[in-house]
Amino acid sequence: FYALYMRSSLAKRVVTLHPSPPVLDANSSSAKVSPERFWGSYRPQVYFGMKTKTPSSIVTGMMWMRQFSDMDVNLRHTCEQGDRLHGYGWLMHDGITFGVQEIRDNDFTLTTEFVKRMGGDHGGDWTWRITAKQHSSAPQAPVISLMFYAAADTQGTLEAHVEERNRLASIAGFSEELGNFKITFRKPVTGELSSAKYASYNYLQTVSPGLEKLTDIVKHSLNRRFVYSPPSGEKRHYIAVDTYNPPHHQNQQKPTDKRKESDFVVHQVTVQTPFQIEVLFESGSFHNRPNQLVGSIMTQELEKRKAEFDTKFEKTFGLESKDFSQAHIKFGKAALSNMLGGMGYFFGQSVVQSVYNEYPLLYPEGALFTAVPSRSFFPRGFLWDEGFHQLLLSKWDPQVTREAIAHWLDLINIEGWIPREQILGDEARSKVPAEFVVQRNENANPPTLFLALQELIEQFSSSPENAEAQPTLPFLRRLFPRLKTWFEWYNTTQTGPLPNSYRWRGRDKDTNLFLNPKTLTSGLDDYPRASHPSADERHVDLHCWMALSSGIMASIARLLGEPHEDYEISHQVLSDNNLLNELHWSEQLHAFSDFGNHTQAVSLQQEKVYVPPGQPRHQFPVARLVRSVRRAPKKQFVNALGYVSLFPFLLHILRPDSPELEHIFRDMRDFNKLWTPYGLRSLSKSDPMYMKRNTEHDAPYWRGPIWININYLAVRALHHYSNMEGPYQEKAAALYEELRTNIINNVYRQYVETGYIWEQYNDSTGRGQGSHPFTGWSALTVLMMAEQY
Ligand code: 6A9
C-alpha cells in the first residue's frame, strides 16, 4: 500500500503547481485593473482578430474571400502558409492602443487597422477600418467578401440585428468580461468622405462547439445561390454564408463533442474594390461618449497614434540618427510591430507526463500572455524563444516583458519545471499533431528568460527613478521564489557526469533510425551531439547557460537583499575558464565541444530487404534508411564545429584575454567553416554532418542554415569583446561591423524580395526558408540595427 501511495503522490507532482503566491494577482489582467491592455490583437493565429485577456473571451475576427475567381473557394481566416499570400503583417503596432496591418493577397491588398478608446468599466471601445485596394496589375477590380464575426466561447450571448432583409447591421452582446456591448457594421464607402457603395449582404447566426471550428462552420454554410447585381454591370452568382445547421442529431449517435455550444454570428459584405469599411465595438458601460470613433474622427486618431509611434520608435531605437534609409526604418518598424501584434493570450491545459505516469495527465489550467515565433506555423508559446522575444520587447515596453515573464513563471510546477512548448486551448491544440502534444518533465529548454531579466535589471539599475523601470523591483520580489526553484531544477535535473558539468535530458532514444539522435530540449534540435546518447555526455551550451543563469540569480538576489553567495560561487565556478577548458576544450578541434559516447563513422543507408529469388520485389516493404555504424563509439569529444562551440563566447563566459577567442574568431571568419555573406551558419561547412538529413524525411535544420537568434548573440558578444581591453579587442570590433552588416542586409533584402521575415536563412544563397512570417527571434535584427544589446 505504501508503495502504491508513494507512486501516486509522485505521479501527481508533475501536475502540482508551485506553492508560492503567483506573480500575477488573479485579476491583474482584468478590465478593472488593466483596462488599457484588456482588448488586443491577442489572436496571432488569425490574420485579423481581437479578444480580451480572459479565459473564455468573446472573440472577434475577419475572414475574407475573392469572388468570381477561377480558383475554388479561397476562404482566408487562420494564418496559413498554404494561402500563399504575398505578405502580411503589422507595419505599426504599439502593443496597446492601435495597429496597422497590411495583407497582400493575389490581386488586392487589405489594410486592417484598429484603434482603441478607453471609457467605461470593460476596457472601452474600438474601431476597425479595413481598406481594400486592387493591385495595379489586376486586369479588373476584384469583388471581395469580408466576413466579420463575433464568437462566444462557452459563455456570453450574441444577438444579430438585421436590417433590410439580410444586412446584419449590428450585434448586441453580453458576456462576463464585457457586460453589454454592441458591434456595428458600417456600410462600405470608397473613401472617408464619399457616399455608400453598392454591396451585397449576407449573414449567419448559429452556434459553434469551439473556436477551432469557426472556419469549417463558415465553409459548410457557403452557398452559390446569391446574385450580385451592381447597378452598372452584369448579374453574377456569388458565394456567401447561408444557413448552417449544427449537427445536433448526429451528436446523439456520436457524442464526440460534448462542449457547450456558443453563439457565433457572421456579417458578410460583398463589394468591389476599392473600398473602406468600419466596424465599431462599443462598450455598454461607456456613457457620454464625445462622438463615435468613425470616419474623420477615426482618421485623426489613427494619424495621431502613427505619429506617436514614429516618435517613440525613433526615441527607442534611433535608426534615423544612424542614417538608415526610410525603407530600412519601415522594415524595422514592421519587425517590431509584428512581434507585438503577434502576442497572444492563451488559456488551457498542457498535456504532460513524468516517469511515474503510465499515461499523460492534464496540467492545471493556466493563462499565458506571450509572443509567438510564427503566426502561421507555430502560433503558441515556446520557452526559449520567449527569452529572445522579450529582449526586443523590453526595449519598447518593459511592462510587456514583466507580464510575459510573470505568466511563464506562474506556469511552473512544484518541481521547478516549465513545459517547453505551450499548447493551450482547443484552438492551439487543433494545430499540433498528436505526437507532439505531450510535454515531459525531464525536459529542459535553454533558460533564456534570464537574458530578458538581465535587461530589466540593467534598465532598473541604470535609472531606478524611471517610472517604466520602477515596477521591476516588486516584480522581482514576487518572482524570486519561483526563479529559485526554476534555477534549482536545472541545477539538479540536468547535471552531467562530472562535477560542474551539465547534460541535456530528453535526447532521441531510437538511435538506429537517426543519423544523429536529436536534442530538441537544447533548442538546437538536430545539431550534432554524441552519436550514442548516454549518461556520460556533457554539453557545453548548457554549461554556459548555467554560468549565465547563476550570475543573474546572484544579481537578482543581491538587488533584493536575499542571500546571494551560493549563486555567486556557482557563477564563479561555472565561469572559470580553466574548468571550461578542462571539460570542453578539444585540442583536436581547437574549439569548445560536447563530450560523450561518440563515433564519427555513421551514415544513413538503405536497409537490406530480403527478397527471396523469383518473388516480385514490390510485394516487400520499401527499404527505409537506417543508420549504419562503421566504427564503435567511445568516450571522446564530439568535435562538431558550429553554434555549440561558440557558447563560451556567445554568453560572454570567456575572459577578454582568453586565447581561445583567437581560435573562435578564426573559425567564425572562415568561409569554409562558419562565415557566410549572410550571417554565421549553424554548422561548419567542413563538418561531416554539414547539411546532412537526419532521416529520409527529416531535412537538415541546425546543420548549416543561418539562425538569427544565435547570430544576434554573436553580434552582441562581438560588441561586448570590442569594448573590453584585451588582445582580441580590435579583431572583435572588425568582425562586429562585418557580421552585423551582413545580417541586417540579408534579412532586410529577403523581406523586400519575399514579403516576409523568415525562420532561418540559406547559408549559400541567403534566401529565407522554413516557416514565415517568423517575427519571433528573427526580429532581433532591429536590435542589431539599433546596436542595443
Ligand atoms: C511541430 C508542427 C502545423 C524549432 O520556434 C519554435 C521552435 C524553436 O524553439 C526550436 O529551437 N522551432 C526550433 O528548433 C519550431 C518548432 C515547431 C514544432 C512544431 C508541429 C505543426 O505543424
Side-chain angles (χ1 to χ4, degrees):
F1 168 77
Y2 182 71
L4 249 172
Y5 167 79
M6 275 306 289
R7 224 184 138 72
S8 83
S9 79
L10 286 173
K12 280 197 194 117
R13 280 174 66 82
V14 64
V15 292
T16 305
L17 289 180
H18 195 274
S20 70
V23 186
L24 295 160
D25 289 327
N27 62 357
S28 66
S29 299
S30 68
K32 267 227 155 57
V33 176
S34 190
E36 284 89 6
R37 293 168 193 258
F38 192 53
W39 269 110
S41 53
Y42 308 137
R43 306 180 66 209
Q45 71 277 17
V46 297
Y47 289 116
F48 189 48
M50 294 194 8
K51 65 179 280 193
T52 62
K53 281 186 187 154
T54 41
S56 48
S57 166
I58 297 276
V59 304
T60 56
M62 185 183 85
M63 309 185 194
W64 75 91
M65 69 193 264
R66 164 84 153 83
Q67 296 288 349
F68 317 123
S69 86
D70 313 330
M71 289 175 298
D72 240 21
V73 174
N74 49 34
L75 186 69
R76 322 275 200 209
H77 179 214
T78 51
C79 303
E80 303 292 341
Q81 284 176 195
D83 289 341
R84 306 180 69 91
L85 298 185
H86 299 273
Y88 62 95
W90 297 97
L91 299 179
M92 293 185 178
H93 196 306
D94 66 1
I96 305 178
T97 75
F98 93 113
V100 179
Q101 180 179 226
E102 199 176 81
I103 303 172
R104 285 183 281 139
D105 207 327
N106 290 326
D107 54 358
F108 58 92
T109 291
L110 299 176
T111 305
T112 67
E113 299 170 295
F114 76 87
V115 171
K116 281 159 58 180
R117 186 195 250 178
M118 286 304 109
D121 308 321
H122 297 89
D125 296 354
W126 48 253
T127 295
W128 290 356
R129 174 182 281 180
I130 315 300
T131 310
K133 290 202 174 96
Q134 69 261 36
H135 296 165
S136 51
S137 56
Q140 37 169 282
V143 176
I144 301 166
S145 293
L146 302 183
M147 292 139 159
F148 295 103
Y149 67 81
D153 182 16
T154 68
Q155 58 92 23
T157 54
L158 299 166
E159 199 185 304
H161 283 267
V162 181
E163 270 175 15
E164 305 148 38
R165 214 162 54 84
N166 50 5
R167 192 179 98 82
L168 186 117
S170 64
I171 297 173
F174 173 83
S175 75
E176 286 161 15
E177 72 280 13
L178 294 169
N180 288 306
F181 60 87
K182 183 177 174 193
I183 302 175
T184 307
F185 302 102
R186 310 236 308 161
K187 291 184 174 173
V189 292
T190 7
E192 185 192 291
L193 296 170
S194 69
S195 51
K197 263 196 93 143
Y198 173 81
S200 299
Y201 295 100
N202 303 80
Y203 76 95
L204 178 66
Q205 163 127 41
T206 183
V207 291
S208 112
L211 297 179
E212 81 286 4
K213 295 277 194 273
L214 302 183
T215 316
D216 279 350
I217 292 175
V218 166
K219 262 195 189 144
H220 287 129
S221 85
L222 294 177
N223 195 313
R224 244 173 231 278
R225 72 184 171 89
F226 304 98
V227 182
Y228 179 79
S229 58
S232 55
E234 50 168 337
K235 290 188 175 20
R236 282 185 287 178
H237 282 280
Y238 72 97
I239 305 169
V241 292
D242 199 351
T243 49
Y244 171 78
N245 298 319
H248 273 305
H249 305 294
Q250 282 170 22
N251 253 3
Q252 279 159 7
Q253 292 143 359
K254 257 201 288 164
T256 44
D257 225 327
K258 293 215 197 82
R259 291 173 296 175
K260 191 166 172 264
E261 297 195 314
S262 310
D263 287 343
F264 177 34
V265 182
V266 185
H267 163 80
Q268 176 173 345
V269 48
T270 302
V271 56
Q272 186 166 38
T273 60
F275 65 86
Q276 187 167 91
I277 293 186
E278 288 172 346
V279 178
L280 278 83
F281 176 93
E282 291 171 306
S283 170
S285 63
F286 188 167
H287 306 293
N288 319 322
R289 219 171 249 107
N291 46 36
Q292 277 197 317
L293 183 51
V294 294
S296 59
I297 312 243
M298 174 71 174
T299 304
Q300 274 169 29
E301 269 306 313
L302 268 169
E303 289 313 315
K304 199 176 116 211
R305 310 287 166 107
K306 287 180 189 173
E308 283 166 8
F309 176 86
D310 288 341
T311 309
K312 182 172 174 184
F313 190 86
E314 180 54 23
K315 188 166 153 256
T316 311
F317 301 111
L319 301 192
E320 307 242 5
S321 70
K322 286 189 180 298
D323 283 337
F324 276 104
S325 73
Q326 281 310 309
H328 276 85
I329 294 172
K330 207 176 156 200
F331 156 78
K333 287 177 181 168
L336 169 77
S337 298
N338 214 47
M339 192 187 275
L340 279 164
M343 294 211 68
Y345 184 87
F346 304 97
F347 190 86
Q349 298 173 278
S350 290
V351 184
V352 304
Q353 192 164 8
S354 76
V355 289
Y356 301 107
N357 311 115
E358 194 170 345
Y359 301 104
L361 301 176
L362 282 177
Y363 207 66
E365 283 191 321
L368 183 61
F369 177 58
T370 185
V372 304
S374 164
R375 290 176 57 196
S376 57
F377 219 61
F378 339 115
R380 52 186 174 275
F382 287 82
L383 182 53
W384 91 302
D385 295 64
E386 190 60 6
F388 289 108
H389 301 155
Q390 294 307 330
L391 280 175
L392 175 59
L393 296 183
S394 56
K395 305 279 186 188
W396 178 257
D397 182 357
Q399 180 55 26
V400 165
T401 300
R402 286 187 292 260
E403 215 182 312
I405 295 179
H407 274 97
W408 275 96
L409 264 300
D410 275 348
L411 289 169
I412 197 169
N413 77 1
I414 191 169
E415 305 165 318
W417 173 68
I418 305 176
R420 172 167 59 101
E421 183 174 350
Q422 296 280 337
I423 310 166
L424 305 178
D426 294 328
E427 227 181 331
R429 193 82 59 80
S430 70
K431 282 224 153 191
V432 185
E435 69 265 30
F436 295 112
V437 171
V438 179
Q439 308 286 308
R440 300 199 60 108
N441 75 337
E442 303 89 50
N443 293 351
N445 204 204
T448 54
L449 293 180
F450 280 112
L451 287 171
L453 285 168
Q454 185 178 37
E455 167 65 23
L456 288 181
I457 297 168
E458 270 163 26
Q459 286 182 12
F460 175 75
S461 309
S462 64
S463 48
E465 65 298 327
N466 180 310
E468 284 212 275
Q470 257 170 17
T472 290
L473 205 53
F475 162 73
L476 290 175
R477 215 173 277 293
R478 291 182 74 155
L479 200 65
F480 194 58
R482 288 163 184 270
L483 280 182
K484 280 201 299 200
T485 323
W486 197 42
F487 176 81
E488 250 350 273
W489 181 86
Y490 283 92
N491 210 19
T492 49
T493 67
Q494 310 290 308
T495 48
L498 297 181
N500 302 307
S501 70
Y502 292 91
R503 172 167 73 89
W504 297 110
R505 302 305 195 270
R507 291 197 60 192
D508 284 339
K509 303 233 155 47
D510 202 350
T511 55
N512 202 23
L513 294 181
F514 311 106
L515 182 61
N516 186 280
K518 292 204 272 199
T519 318
L520 295 177
T521 50
S522 73
L524 310 174
D525 295 19
D526 62 341
Y527 185 94
R529 309 272 183 173
S531 62
H532 290 67
S534 76
D536 292 320
E537 269 173 86
R538 41 183 204 259
H539 296 126
V540 62
D541 50 339
L542 184 50
H543 181 105
C544 296
W545 285 120
M546 295 309 292
L548 172 95
S549 308
S550 51
I552 295 163
M553 281 305 289
S555 352
I556 297 175
R558 224 179 298 121
L559 203 62
L560 296 177
E562 297 273 345
H564 55 263
E565 292 75 12
D566 288 354
Y567 297 120
E568 214 92 54
I569 292 169
S570 290
H571 180 59
Q572 273 164 22
V573 171
L574 297 177
S575 309
D576 177 352
N577 285 203
N578 293 329
L579 173 76
L580 198 58
N581 285 341
E582 265 167 50
L583 292 173
H584 288 295
W585 183 259
S586 159
E587 276 302 339
Q588 191 190 326
L589 188 70
H590 287 297
F592 290 104
S593 167
D594 288 342
F595 184 94
N597 189 27
H598 181 67
T599 171
Q600 250 189 24
V602 292
S603 54
L604 284 185
Q605 310 216 322
Q606 296 259 305
E607 195 178 27
K608 297 247 175 350
V609 176
Y610 176 71
V611 181
Q615 302 267 339
R617 178 75 188 79
H618 67 263
Q619 286 182 359
F620 290 82
V622 179
R624 323 178 278 180
L625 289 180
V626 290
R627 182 165 87 162
S628 107
V629 178
R630 292 186 310 278
R631 210 171 34 247
K634 61 171 194 213
K635 286 194 213 172
Q636 58 175 325
F637 281 113
V638 175
N639 286 338
L641 182 76
Y643 287 168
V644 164
S645 341
L646 301 183
F647 264 83
F649 150 77
L650 293 176
L651 297 183
H652 312 178
I653 317 291
L654 293 180
R655 285 190 319 263
D657 60 354
S658 159
E660 286 75 28
L661 277 175
E662 178 159 5
H663 294 280
I664 288 181
F665 289 168
R666 200 181 298 146
D667 288 342
M668 275 171 51
R669 191 60 186 78
D670 187 339
F671 277 96
N672 289 318
K673 293 180 175 168
L674 301 181
W675 194 260
T676 84
Y678 322 107
L680 298 175
R681 53 168 77 86
S682 40
L683 188 62
S684 165
K685 201 171 180 175
S686 314
D687 191 276
M689 294 273 174
Y690 170 71
M691 288 309 277
K692 286 266 162 56
R693 25 183 72 236
N694 207 32
T695 70
E696 203 172 340
H697 307 288
D698 200 357
Y701 202 37
W702 293 83
R703 295 184 184 173
I706 297 160
W707 293 79
I708 303 304
N709 60 335
I710 304 294
N711 273 279
Y712 167 79
L713 290 179
V715 168
R716 172 179 173 267
L718 288 169
H719 188 258
H720 167 80
Y721 287 106
S722 72
N723 284 316
M724 308 282 277
E725 202 121 342
Y728 313 108
Q729 189 175 15
E730 274 169 33
K731 185 72 198 159
L735 279 175
Y736 169 76
E737 293 299 338
E738 273 190 293
L739 183 59
R740 169 176 176 261
T741 309
N742 286 351
I743 298 164
I744 296 171
N745 286 351
N746 190 56
V747 176
Y748 168 73
R749 191 167 63 107
Q750 294 301 317
Y751 175 74
V752 172
E753 279 175 17
T754 65
Y756 292 104
I757 292 176
W758 295 75
E759 184 181 18
Q760 32 154 278
Y761 294 86
N762 187 290
D763 67 313
S764 10
T765 62
R767 273 217 283 279
Q769 54 190 30
S771 85
H772 56 280
F774 190 103
T775 36
W777 58 46
S778 298
L780 289 175
T781 310
V782 179
L783 289 184
M784 298 189 242
M785 293 168 83
E787 304 192 85
Q788 294 193 7
Y789 307 108

